[in-house]
Amino acid sequence: MAGDMQRGKKKTHLPFRLNIVFFIVFLLFGAIILQLGVVQILNGEEAQDEIDRTENTTTNIPVPRGEMYDRYGRVIVNNEPLYSITYTPPKGVKQLDRLELAEKLAQYINMEFEDKLSTRDLKEYFFLKNREEVVERIKDKDTKDMDNGEIYQLQLDSIKETEVTSYDNQTKEVIAIKKELDKAYALSPHIIKNSNISYEEYSSVAEHLGSLPGINVTSDWEREYPYGNTFRNYAGNITSREQGIPRDNLDYFMSLDYSRNDRVGTSGLEQQYEQVLKGTKEKVQYEIDKNNDVVNSNVIREGERGKDLVLTLDVDLQEKVDQILREELESAIQEAPNENKHLENSVAVVSNPKTGEILAISGQKYNRNLEEGEERFSDTSHQAVYNAYMSGSTVKGATILTGLHEGAIDPGQTVNDRAIKISSDREKSSYTPNIGVVDDIAAIQQSSNVYMYFLAMYLGKEFDYQYGRPISLQNDTFQTFLYNFNQFGLGVETGLDFPYEETGFEGDNPADGNILDFAIGQYSTYTAMQLNQYVSTIANGGSRLKMRLVKEIHDPPTSSEGLGPIYKDYSPEIINQLEMDADYIDRVQEGFRQVFQTNEGTASSVFSDPPYAKYNMAGKTGTAEAFKSIPVNGGETYRREDNLLNKTLIGYAPHDDPEIAFSVITPYLGNDTPTTGISNKIGARIGKAYFDLKQEREKEGVGTQSPQENAEETQEE
């Protein structure tokens, strides 16, 4: 009975515990139901928003660059269309995903890998394929104070080179594709391959796009130059996709909405007009969900390819000037190979003196020691802007105008041209000694140095010259010369629309002897571009015009060919007007005419005879004593070669209504050789080439049309 009583107690105790458990469970379920109710009723909308949360991301898609045309609408630089395979990665894509994609893509395309894969590239591939093994290798290393990058480097270091050097070509191809995929930024198209893509590759990838996430087949472009190397130095260069934005200018370009792999101009007009040539990128907004999947996209700005440049260049004249320089250089070197052993190049600039527009700009170098694959001539046209030379007597027009304007001489004032001597210095005379009595015009015609010496002395208030005695010029004489020369563009920038131009050496030692040398062009140095602006200023009657390489900027065409509407037209821009009296300028113009067209003129033997006489050209010759530094011992040291000549020429035509102005510099000829008239011949042939082309175009009706009309005719041909 006692046992029965105990069992009774247990029966009543167990249900009580169960009730407590059930009650607790009931409370928990109640709390859960209550919480669900709160979420559903009070926070339901917010919770649903979190489930449906998306992110908007904007990306830019590059467009082709603008093209370049010459003044008659002929294409100088355009875009050659290319097959292109691109990769646009989603957000959050993993390395293994890219490796898998690279392995698939390798089945359809051939990827160059020679000289493109580093040992690190191979090790990174090994790591992805053998991750657990590599991680195991460094498990005993103390990495608690290392960041992820340091740990990863430690892992790569544990991979031996012998483990990766035996990869076959197929594997290396996969690694090269993977390396290119890794360069892509999320949601931004990146070119995987755009050169040497066969039609079979292109079509195979297109057929399998469904299994290649992010891969697309499209078109790309590459700069093309229909006229080869003609004008290439001034058209300039752009970076490749691999180079992208130059590191030195990374922050600047990134602030302007560029991507790191964008192609940008690095020299010439490509650099100068980068902001109009680059175009407007297409802007696309992507809607991304929590899983980094694109759920929607919207074009918020249409892309537009870059604007086109119509250059001031006449490409036909450019080619003729290039040829003239090559022929005259070769002739001079072959006629006097020993005397002209240091002669190697010549530069020339041709412009419209009434507008400042550059019609041709050339430089040619004669390569004496040809190696296999090299050509006899190479383009050195950059020297017209970058290299300054002693110019000699071509500056005497500026000297005379300075003297007339400052009152140092009067119109028609004469000087007896015979040798002078200052203190113990050697005698100074004209190139042709003892010319006799000359006035300002005859001094230009016959290139009298002595006249310029006395002009400089009068400018410096030295009126008591005596043979063999010292002179004393006022302290501001040199600055007065510089100020007046600057008005012509000598010693200052010409305003050329180009990334850089040299201004030459003005000199910083205003000693009396240096001032006399300055007056005859034997002290300061100038570029061919500066000499062209100087002679243009005299030719047009006193307006110093900004030199230009670009005539117009056009919007992209609405059709696929030709030029679009004008976006910007560059009218002639006057930098300054000469302060000199118009009558003084007339006297210098007459002196320039006599240099070319009268018997005693220093260039009459070329310009006053057929076939050049009929073009009525005017200008000034120049000869400057020069020296050249010659490399010896493989370029480790240099020796100075003296007794060389720079032969220069400035001119314009016709003398009474100029259409062209030209400047020529041929440095480092041998002294007193029969070939020292090379620059005169070049200038005369340039003038003839211009007028011959003009006559041909008048017969064909070319030149009376706009660049747009000429471009359309060129496309039809």
Side-chain angles (χ1 to χ4, degrees):
M1 185 174 293
D4 291 340
M5 289 177 65
Q6 251 180 332
R7 283 194 293 273
K9 288 181 181 178
K10 285 181 181 179
K11 285 180 182 179
T12 58
H13 186 64
L14 185 59
F16 177 74
R17 289 181 176 178
L18 285 174
N19 288 337
I20 292 175
V21 171
F22 288 148
F23 181 71
I24 292 172
V25 171
F26 172 77
L27 290 177
L28 291 174
F29 272 105
I32 292 172
I33 293 170
L34 179 62
Q35 183 63 33
L36 287 174
V38 170
V39 170
Q40 183 67 32
I41 297 170
L42 298 181
N43 300 323
E45 185 176 347
E46 183 179 334
Q48 188 63 45
D49 288 343
E50 178 61 24
I51 293 171
D52 298 335
R53 180 177 64 83
T54 60
E55 176 185 343
N56 289 328
T57 301
T58 302
T59 189
N60 296 318
I61 300 176
V63 294
R65 287 177 78 81
E67 300 178 345
M68 299 185 198
Y69 297 77
D70 89 333
R71 66 188 301 110
Y72 296 113
R74 288 163 295 198
V75 179
I76 304 299
V77 182
N78 65 358
N79 299 317
E80 178 188 10
L82 302 172
Y83 284 140
S84 178
I85 297 171
T86 65
Y87 174 52
T88 307
K91 279 196 167 186
V93 65
K94 298 179 180 178
Q95 289 292 329
L96 287 174
D97 296 331
R98 291 187 178 182
L99 177 58
E100 182 182 352
L101 178 59
E103 291 171 340
K104 289 181 180 179
L105 192 56
Q107 300 174 38
Y108 310 118
I109 68 172
N110 297 315
M111 195 73 169
E112 294 181 5
F113 55 82
E114 295 293 339
D115 302 322
K116 291 187 176 181
L117 297 179
S118 64
T119 302
R120 182 183 178 89
D121 296 328
L122 303 179
K123 287 186 175 183
E124 287 181 340
Y125 173 80
F126 183 93
F127 176 78
L128 288 174
K129 301 294 285 188
N130 305 275
R131 184 184 184 91
E132 292 183 1
E133 177 189 338
V134 175
V135 170
E136 184 70 17
R137 292 180 182 181
I138 66 165
K139 67 177 184 178
D140 295 331
K141 302 287 184 179
D142 184 8
T143 60
K144 64 180 180 180
D145 294 328
M146 294 183 180
D147 58 30
N148 291 336
E150 292 171 326
I151 295 174
Y152 181 58
Q153 185 60 53
L154 191 63
Q155 292 167 339
L156 293 182
D157 291 341
S158 72
I159 302 171
K160 300 176 182 178
E161 288 193 21
T162 55
E163 295 178 290
V164 298
T165 53
S166 61
Y167 286 141
D168 59 24
N169 289 345
Q170 186 175 357
T171 301
K172 290 180 180 179
E173 196 172 58
V174 170
I175 298 172
I177 295 173
K178 166 67 168 52
K179 182 178 181 179
E180 202 61 45
L181 295 175
D182 288 340
K183 295 178 183 179
Y185 292 92
L187 305 177
S188 294
H190 176 78
I191 293 175
I192 303 303
K193 184 178 181 182
N194 68 349
S195 62
N196 301 320
I197 297 179
S198 67
Y199 177 77
E200 289 73 19
E201 286 179 282
Y202 188 84
S203 57
S204 294
V205 173
E207 290 173 9
H208 296 88
L209 290 179
S211 62
L212 300 169
I215 297 296
N216 194 17
V217 288
T218 181
S219 61
D220 191 30
W221 55 270
E222 186 176 86
R223 277 315 210 194
E224 184 180 47
Y225 306 93
Y227 289 89
N229 288 328
T230 301
F231 201 67
R232 280 286 284 111
N233 276 344
Y234 288 88
N237 296 304
I238 62 172
T239 60
S240 64
R241 287 283 188 189
E242 291 74 22
Q243 293 169 329
I245 298 174
R247 183 174 299 177
D248 293 343
N249 298 319
L250 181 62
D251 292 340
Y252 168 75
F253 283 112
M254 294 297 286
S255 70
L256 296 176
D257 209 20
Y258 281 73
S259 300
R260 290 177 182 270
N261 63 346
D262 280 345
R263 287 171 278 191
V264 301
T266 56
S267 65
L269 296 175
E270 294 277 18
Q271 179 182 354
Q272 182 74 20
Y273 288 92
E274 167 67 25
Q275 294 308 307
V276 294
L277 287 169
K278 70 183 180 68
T280 303
K281 292 182 179 181
E282 181 177 297
K283 190 179 286 288
V284 180
Q285 187 177 74
Y286 293 96
E287 191 175 350
I288 313 297
D289 64 15
K290 288 181 63 176
N291 297 320
N292 288 320
D293 293 327
V294 177
V295 296
N296 190 26
S297 64
N298 181 38
V299 177
I300 59 177
R301 184 183 68 196
E302 294 288 344
E304 183 179 73
R305 80 163 178 82
K307 293 177 171 55
D308 297 323
L309 305 182
V310 173
L311 309 181
T312 61
L313 181 79
D314 177 350
V315 72
D316 285 343
L317 182 61
Q318 176 70 46
E319 289 186 317
K320 287 183 178 295
V321 174
D322 288 344
Q323 184 65 25
I324 290 168
L325 263 62
R326 287 193 291 266
E327 291 174 355
E328 293 299 334
L329 267 176
E330 188 164 36
S331 176
I333 290 171
Q334 290 181 353
E335 287 179 21
N338 294 326
E339 295 86 347
N340 286 334
K341 61 184 177 181
H342 298 300
L343 170 63
E344 59 181 15
N345 67 81
S346 182
V347 293
V349 178
V350 188
S351 72
N352 182 335
K354 296 178 181 177
T355 64
E357 295 174 351
I358 304 298
L359 304 178
I361 183 167
S362 179
Q364 298 294 318
K365 178 181 178 181
Y366 184 89
N367 303 315
R368 296 172 183 273
N369 302 311
L370 289 180
E371 296 184 4
E372 186 176 353
E374 290 184 336
E375 295 185 358
R376 176 62 69 187
F377 289 93
S378 55
D379 186 349
T380 57
S381 56
H382 59 277
Q383 289 195 11
V385 174
Y386 292 164
N387 286 31
Y389 296 96
M390 206 90 74
S391 60
S393 297
T394 49
V395 304
K396 287 177 179 175
T399 302
I400 291 291
L401 280 169
T402 298
L404 290 170
H405 175 66
E406 297 292 342
I409 59 172
D410 295 322
Q413 183 171 336
T414 61
V415 166
N416 187 8
D417 184 304
R418 58 185 179 183
I420 69 169
K421 183 177 175 64
I422 308 298
S423 298
S424 59
D425 293 345
R426 64 184 177 90
E427 282 191 340
K428 290 178 176 288
S429 63
S430 298
Y431 190 71
T432 301
N434 303 320
I435 295 174
V437 177
V438 291
D439 64 5
D440 49 340
I441 293 177
I444 294 174
Q445 176 204 35
Q446 299 176 60
S447 201
S448 169
N449 288 345
V450 175
Y451 194 97
M452 307 304 152
Y453 294 148
F454 275 98
L455 184 154
M457 286 189 278
Y458 298 157
L459 184 66
K461 308 303 181 185
E462 173 58 78
F463 302 108
D464 191 27
Y465 161 76
Q466 296 181 42
Y467 186 88
R469 299 290 298 276
I471 61 173
S472 178
L473 306 183
Q474 286 190 343
N475 293 334
D476 63 350
T477 306
F478 188 52
Q479 289 302 318
T480 301
F481 261 131
L482 291 179
Y483 172 78
N484 282 277
F485 273 50
N486 289 170
Q487 288 191 54
F488 298 95
L490 296 172
V492 293
E493 292 184 352
T494 66
L496 185 70
D497 49 337
F498 204 67
Y500 172 79
E501 64 170 315
E502 178 61 59
T503 58
F505 169 78
E506 284 193 332
D508 54 6
N509 182 6
D512 293 343
N514 290 338
I515 294 175
L516 299 189
D517 289 340
F518 179 92
I520 64 167
Q522 195 62 53
Y523 185 62
S524 296
T525 62
Y526 307 111
T527 66
M529 186 63 66
Q530 288 175 318
L531 290 178
N532 191 282
Q533 188 177 59
Y534 150 61
V535 73
S536 296
T537 303
I538 292 175
N540 67 36
S543 297
R544 178 174 163 238
L545 295 163
K546 179 179 286 189
M547 309 301 285
R548 293 214 66 84
L549 288 167
V550 172
K551 183 180 181 69
E552 299 165 353
I553 300 176
H554 286 247
D555 284 320
T558 52
S559 62
S560 59
E561 304 291 351
L563 286 164
I566 291 180
Y567 170 77
K568 187 170 185 179
D569 181 12
Y570 291 101
S571 300
E573 183 177 343
I574 297 176
I575 299 176
N576 63 269
Q577 199 77 34
L578 290 185
E579 298 174 357
M580 290 82 176
D581 189 283
D583 291 339
Y584 299 159
I585 299 174
D586 289 343
R587 295 188 68 82
V588 171
Q589 290 175 343
E590 174 58 20
F592 281 3
R593 186 194 69 80
Q594 292 189 20
V595 169
F596 280 18
Q597 299 181 31
T598 62
N599 290 335
E600 292 183 316
T602 55
S604 63
S605 62
V606 175
F607 288 91
S608 64
D609 290 337
Y612 309 114
K614 66 180 180 179
Y615 302 119
N616 297 319
M617 293 187 258
K620 184 70 187 76
T621 58
T623 301
E625 296 176 359
F627 69 89
K628 187 176 184 180
S629 297
I630 309 298
V632 294
N633 300 325
E636 293 182 4
T637 58
Y638 289 82
R639 65 176 176 81
R640 173 169 167 150
E641 183 74 21
D642 291 303
N643 300 317
L644 300 177
L645 299 177
N646 294 342
K647 300 299 289 189
T648 62
L649 181 77
I650 56 172
Y652 52 90
H655 72 86
D656 55 348
D657 188 18
E659 297 179 29
I660 62 163
F662 49 85
S663 57
V664 182
I665 300 178
T666 307
Y668 310 133
L669 284 95
N671 204 344
D672 292 327
T673 71
T675 60
T676 52
I678 177 174
S679 291
N680 295 354
K681 295 176 184 177
I682 290 172
R685 291 184 64 186
I686 287 173
K688 181 178 184 299
Y690 169 83
F691 287 108
D692 286 349
L693 282 172
K694 179 183 177 182
Q695 187 175 18
E696 291 174 16
R697 287 170 180 154
E698 287 174 347
K699 291 179 181 179
E700 298 170 359
V702 178
T704 59
Q705 306 176 97
S706 68
Q708 168 74 52
E709 292 170 323
N710 286 314
E712 290 172 355
E713 286 189 6
T714 302
Q715 295 293 345
E716 289 174 5
E717 293 172 3

